């Protein structure tokens, strides 16, 4: 892999993107990520952390040079059509639909296609510092076309997402936290995301997979259908050996130790 490197330990993969000098995302990086996602289906992998190489960028944004080259060749662009977007959507759906927790450690500037990538992760950890998160696309004459308009509106609400995208806002980590774009902030996003990853890696994997499926599939439909999906996922989880072992461990504890067991990994 030329742009992505990975480390694996104790069930957790840390995948680092490095594309100097600006850490722009690009077609090659997307293709490499698609290959990695397939390897991450391995049951031995229980959680994944995505981060940028040290230097102030998670993924700054998608390469404008690549997009401009497409824009300058209208005939080719028309022949490609919306498949350009669909391919990126497919990539991010494959990442989101992994039956394990995926965490974005946003350890630097995260905009455009990079922010869209982070929105496809289950948890986003921002990093305190002079960094920027946002969707600057409108000021470039385009829109977030890699699922940004859809994922952000589902995350923070249509009104807030419309204001954010239409103003082409780029904000600091503290503002991103206040808007709900990131889950929390840390002085070292990679270290904190790795701690979370190791915590969830110790949890029953079937429950993680079922919970993810119920959350995401249910959020894309109406309540009644979502409740049916939740019920099916609950049945699948409670029928697993994971659940029997975990619940038996809990009920075998004295009452005064049960809360501690639930709160401590």
């Amino acid at each position: 892999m030329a742009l992505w490197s990975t480390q694996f330990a104790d069930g957790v993969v840390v995948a680092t993107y490095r594309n100097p000098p600006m850490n722009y995302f690009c077609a090659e990086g997307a293709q490499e990520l698609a290959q990695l996602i397939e390897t991450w289906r391995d049951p031995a992998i229980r959680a994944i952390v995505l981060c940028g190489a040290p230097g102030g960028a998670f993924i700054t944004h998608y390469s404008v040079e690549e997009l401009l080259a497409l824009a300058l060749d209208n005939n080719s662009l028309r022949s490609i059509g919306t498949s350009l977007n669909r391919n990126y959507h497919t990539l991010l759906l494959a990442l989101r639909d992994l039956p394990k927790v995926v965490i974005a450690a946003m350890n630097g500037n995260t905009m455009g296609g990079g922010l869209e990538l982070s929105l496809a992760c289950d948890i986003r950890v921002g990093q305190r510092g002079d960094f920027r998160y946002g969707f600057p696309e409108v000021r470039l004459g385009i829109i977030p076309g890699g699922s940004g308009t859809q994922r952000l509106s589902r995350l923070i609400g249509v009104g807030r997402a419309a204001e954010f995208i239409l103003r082409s806002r780029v904000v600091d980590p503290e503002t991103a936290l206040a808007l709900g774009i990131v889950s929390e902030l840390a002085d070292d996003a990679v270290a904190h995301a790795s701690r979370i990853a190791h915590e969830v890696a110790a949890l029953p994997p079937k429950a993680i997979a079922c919970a993810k499926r119920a959350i995401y599939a249910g959020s894309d439909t109406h309540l009644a259908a979502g409740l049916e999906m939740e019920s099916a996922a609950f049945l699948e989880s409670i029928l697993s050996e994971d659940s029997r072992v975990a619940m038996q461990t809990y009920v075998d504890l004295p009452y005064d130790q049960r809360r501690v067991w639930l709160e401590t990994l």
Side-chain angles (χ1 to χ4, degrees):
M1 293 280 172
L3 300 178
W4 288 94
S5 60
T6 62
Q7 293 181 313
F8 175 70
D10 301 323
V12 174
V13 167
V14 177
T16 304
Y17 185 74
R18 185 189 305 270
N19 186 19
M22 297 295 291
N23 237 42
Y24 291 149
F25 211 36
C26 59
E28 182 182 358
Q31 290 163 5
E32 288 185 15
L33 181 58
Q35 295 171 22
L36 285 172
I37 289 169
E38 292 308 306
T39 70
W40 294 340
R41 299 186 189 282
D42 183 344
I45 296 171
R46 305 286 286 274
I48 299 115
V49 174
L50 305 183
C51 64
F58 169 66
I59 291 175
T60 302
H61 52 66
Y62 199 91
S63 169
V64 177
E65 287 84 355
E66 284 192 11
L67 296 177
L68 179 59
L70 288 169
L72 292 174
D73 188 351
N74 279 359
N75 290 333
S76 294
L77 187 56
R78 286 193 175 92
S79 67
I80 294 170
T82 59
S83 64
L84 179 70
N85 306 79
R86 290 200 303 272
N87 289 340
Y88 201 66
H89 297 163
T90 298
L91 171 70
L92 297 190
L93 281 171
L95 180 68
R96 190 203 71 176
D97 289 344
L98 283 170
K100 53 203 71 182
V101 174
V102 183
I103 305 170
M106 298 159 66
N107 58 328
N109 295 325
T110 306
M111 295 180 283
L115 184 57
E116 288 170 326
L117 175 59
S118 76
L119 293 176
C121 297
D122 305 305
I123 300 170
R124 284 160 296 284
V125 178
Q127 182 159 308
R128 297 184 184 92
D130 188 21
F131 305 125
R132 297 295 180 266
Y133 305 150
F135 281 130
E137 279 88 341
V138 167
R139 70 183 66 191
L140 292 170
I142 55 177
I143 71 168
S147 73
T149 63
Q150 304 306 301
R151 292 189 190 278
L152 189 65
S153 60
R154 284 163 170 75
L155 180 66
I156 66 173
V158 172
R160 278 187 165 184
E163 185 268 345
F164 194 87
I165 292 169
L166 296 177
R167 289 181 59 194
S168 208
R169 288 187 69 185
V170 174
V171 300
D172 59 28
E174 287 74 18
T175 304
L177 177 65
L179 288 169
I181 294 172
V182 297
S183 310
E184 53 187 301
L185 297 181
D187 293 327
D188 185 333
V190 179
H192 189 64
S194 296
R195 284 193 292 272
I196 297 172
H198 281 91
E199 288 176 4
V200 297
L203 298 173
K206 177 61 73 173
I208 291 287
C210 290
K212 276 194 63 170
R213 189 170 70 248
I215 291 166
Y216 292 125
S219 68
D220 287 336
T221 187
H222 55 83
L223 179 59
L227 292 174
E228 287 300 314
M229 293 174 186
E230 179 186 83
S231 298
F234 175 81
L235 179 61
E236 182 179 344
S237 68
I238 201 169
L239 286 171
S240 70
E241 181 65 19
D242 286 349
S243 73
R244 289 190 290 273
V245 170
M247 288 191 287
Q248 189 66 57
T249 300
Y250 176 76
V251 300
D252 286 345
L253 291 171
Y255 289 116
D256 60 351
Q257 294 181 26
R258 292 186 177 188
R259 194 185 76 176
V260 174
W261 186 87
L262 287 174
E263 294 177 354
T264 307
L265 290 175

